[in-house]
Amino acid sequence: MSIYKSGDFRSGLKILIDGQPYTILESEFNKPGKGQAFNKLKVKNLRNGKVLEKTVKIGGSLEQADVILRSMQYLYTDGNLWHFMDMKSYEQLATTVEAIQSSQEWFKEEAICTVTLWNNEVILVEPPNFIEVKVVKTDPGLRGDTAQGGFKPAQIETGAKVETGAKVRVPLFINQGECIKVDTRTGEYVSRVKG
């Protein structure tokens, strides 16, 4: 196994802590007035999504997590399992909702997702950063509301036939039936989609 030294720590690295795979979200170098310098890490467990802080002394190290990231197309869900396909080999994988975690409302059929495998087990599936979705329910837009900057709630549809009930705040000028672009990391409206 590879080892990361304290000077190598940066966002995005996959590490092992107590035999569990984590990704580094933030790494901050600290040099107190007295005592030894250290890195303060904010890490996220790739299996359950829990975030914690860990302190590693300068000169210390952490083991690299042997994870594989694969781009796969989301196919469908049968209620119990979520099905994905590798676009090169056409290999299909199915996973439970635990690997999807809290992002299940952002999966759109045929979208290319990032699947994280650890010990040949799907531990995390992340939707694309941006998706285009149809607004299925919102209050009617009013003429002249394009410049005021106000927002209203809207319910969107992400699956071809499956309505997830995801809620997004959209500008006042967006109407029911229009397509919008949404940032899946924040759940925020990005823009209106033409066509």
Side-chain angles (χ1 to χ4, degrees):
M1 280 269 161
S2 297
I3 301 287
Y4 291 123
K5 300 266 186 216
S6 59
D8 299 330
F9 297 157
R10 65 183 186 284
S11 296
L13 288 182
K14 309 295 191 265
I15 57 173
L16 283 179
I17 299 174
D18 300 327
Q20 294 291 310
Y22 285 80
T23 186
I24 297 176
L25 301 176
E26 295 175 15
S27 176
E28 181 182 323
F29 175 78
N30 287 302
K31 174 69 174 123
K34 285 186 170 184
Q36 187 176 6
F38 60 91
N39 277 328
K40 187 175 182 180
L41 303 177
K42 188 174 186 181
V43 294
K44 178 181 177 183
N45 187 314
L46 292 174
R47 299 193 81 185
N48 59 26
K50 291 183 180 174
V51 176
L52 59 96
E53 291 187 357
K54 179 159 182 72
T55 302
V56 180
K57 292 181 182 179
I58 295 303
S61 62
L62 291 172
E63 193 173 347
Q64 176 184 357
D66 190 20
V67 297
I68 299 168
L69 300 177
R70 291 172 67 183
S71 291
M72 300 185 84
Q73 184 181 46
Y74 169 58
L75 299 175
Y76 64 93
T77 181
D78 59 16
N80 296 325
L81 297 175
W82 297 71
H83 299 267
F84 298 87
M85 180 178 67
D86 188 307
M87 295 301 291
K88 293 178 185 169
S89 67
Y90 300 108
E91 173 191 4
Q92 291 189 20
L93 294 174
T95 186
T96 60
V97 73
E98 286 79 27
I100 306 294
Q101 295 179 7
S102 61
S103 59
Q104 60 187 340
E105 63 189 8
W106 303 119
F107 287 94
K108 184 176 178 181
E109 290 177 4
E110 299 182 6
I112 303 300
C113 304
T114 303
V115 177
T116 304
L117 298 162
W118 182 59
N119 294 338
N120 293 323
E121 173 192 349
V122 177
I123 59 171
L124 180 65
V125 181
E126 297 173 295
N129 291 341
F130 300 97
I131 59 171
E132 294 178 1
V133 290
K134 182 179 178 183
V135 176
V136 293
K137 184 178 178 187
T138 190
D139 293 334
L142 301 173
R143 260 197 126 104
D145 277 342
T146 58
Q148 293 180 2
F151 285 87
K152 61 183 177 179
Q155 187 171 352
I156 59 173
E157 177 180 11
T158 56
K161 294 181 181 173
V162 180
E163 184 176 317
T164 64
K167 303 242 187 310
V168 176
R169 290 176 42 83
V170 297
L172 297 171
F173 59 85
I174 297 294
N175 292 308
Q176 189 168 312
E178 289 189 85
C179 287
I180 60 171
K181 186 176 189 178
V182 177
D183 186 333
T184 62
R185 297 164 294 187
T186 62
E188 294 178 357
Y189 165 87
V190 175
S191 67
R192 179 188 280 174
V193 177
K194 303 286 185 198

